[in-house]
Amino acid sequence: MTLKLQMLGTGGAFAKNYYNNNALFHDEDFTLLVDCGITGPTALHKAGLNFGNIDAVLVTHIHADHVGGLEEAAFVSTLQYNRKMPLYIAESLVGPIWEQTLKGGLYQEGHITCLEDIFDVRPLTPGVKTAISKGISVELIQTLHIPGKDSFSFYLNDRIFYSGDMVFHPELLRELVDKRNCEMILHECQLVEPGAVHTTLNELLSLPLDIQERIYLMHYNDNAADFFGKTGSMAFLEQQRIYELA
Ligand SMILES: [Zn+2]
Ligand SMILES: [Zn+2]
């Protein structure tokens, strides 16, 4: 089955030259949107699509560059396309995403009083592989980002690692490559030090070559062009471009 990747955006949290780091995975008849940040709806429009073309959304964690467009996704899906958008999210984030983020905009007395009233909520258990469509399966892997804030990466189709926002975790990458036949690593990358709650380019450059060769960089800063040719064997993912993942 053909699987395609189109990053709607590849920008870091505060990037302005790039849209938020949100991704589309298309199998033959299904489109999964991974994260829907503030710029998500505009980037989708730029790609010639709308929420009617999206079959489900998966959320990695609760930061505006990953969930800021969900209010629009919910309203447009129910009002314009007459259906609740399927929302795949870690079970531990179902409560917080409503109480801490979405309730303020979506709440409507007597009609929309919980997340399930406006989304078709599909809670995910970390470490458990879940089939999302015929050609797409995901297994959430909890990774560190902000202290006290649950954040998730995931393993797609038992061969592609997609990092959420995360601090450098070389042991995880080593294990995925050695023990789980990971072929491709789509990794967030902060180009300038310090990394703090993200992974820096220098950290990724410290990895052994056999891991670096599998890495594609995303969630990067506005000055990415200054680093072209300086990322070893790791390539920058380009936003809006469609990649065939075979
Ligand atoms: Zn982010
Ligand atoms: Zn984040």
Side-chain angles (χ1 to χ4, degrees), residues 61 63 145 165:
H61 69 292
H63 266 156
H145 179 33
D165 292 3

Side-chain angles (χ1 to χ4, degrees), residues 3-182:
L3 183 68
K4 291 181 187 160
L5 165 69
Q6 183 176 25
M7 298 301 299
L8 286 181
T10 51
F14 312 128
K16 295 293 170 284
N17 296 336
Y18 305 100
Y19 294 120
N20 295 153
N21 198 84
N22 306 159
L24 294 175
F25 287 94
H26 308 273
D27 75 9
E28 274 153 27
D29 51 11
F30 194 95
T31 300
L32 174 69
L33 171 60
V34 174
D35 288 329
C36 184
I38 296 165
T39 66
T42 303
L44 199 59
H45 178 73
K46 179 85 176 168
L49 300 168
N50 57 56
F51 287 111
N53 303 116
I54 304 301
D55 295 296
V57 181
L58 181 150
V59 163
T60 60
H61 69 292
I62 307 176
H63 266 156
D65 55 321
H66 301 266
V67 300
L70 282 182
E71 179 180 320
E72 182 170 335
F75 279 136
V76 170
S77 295
T78 51
L79 298 174
Q80 217 164 309
Y81 300 106
N82 210 16
R83 60 157 197 164
K84 288 182 192 174
M85 178 69 82
L87 177 66
Y88 288 89
I89 183 165
E91 52 202 4
S92 66
L93 291 179
V94 172
I97 200 174
W98 175 253
E99 288 297 331
Q100 298 173 9
T101 299
L102 294 176
K103 185 178 178 181
L106 289 171
Y107 180 83
Q108 211 175 315
E109 195 175 39
H111 293 286
I112 307 169
T113 61
C114 62
L115 190 64
E116 291 78 2
D117 283 340
I118 189 84
F119 282 102
D120 174 3
V121 182
R122 318 270 179 99
L124 293 171
T125 304
V128 176
K129 180 175 152 183
T130 301
I132 287 185
S133 70
K134 266 185 279 179
I136 299 173
S137 70
V138 297
E139 174 193 327
L140 288 189
I141 298 173
Q142 186 156 8
T143 38
L144 290 176
H145 179 33
I146 305 285
K149 190 179 186 68
D150 282 1
S151 185
F152 299 87
S153 299
F154 60 90
Y155 200 40
L156 185 98
N157 292 4
D158 288 316
R159 65 189 187 94
I160 298 167
F161 178 72
Y162 184 103
S163 86
D165 292 3
M166 61 182 277
V167 295
F168 189 45
H169 193 346
E171 299 83 7
L172 172 65
L173 302 178
R174 183 79 267 169
E175 184 189 321
L176 286 166
V177 169
D178 285 356
K179 300 191 177 147
R180 301 195 62 187
N181 303 313
C182 181

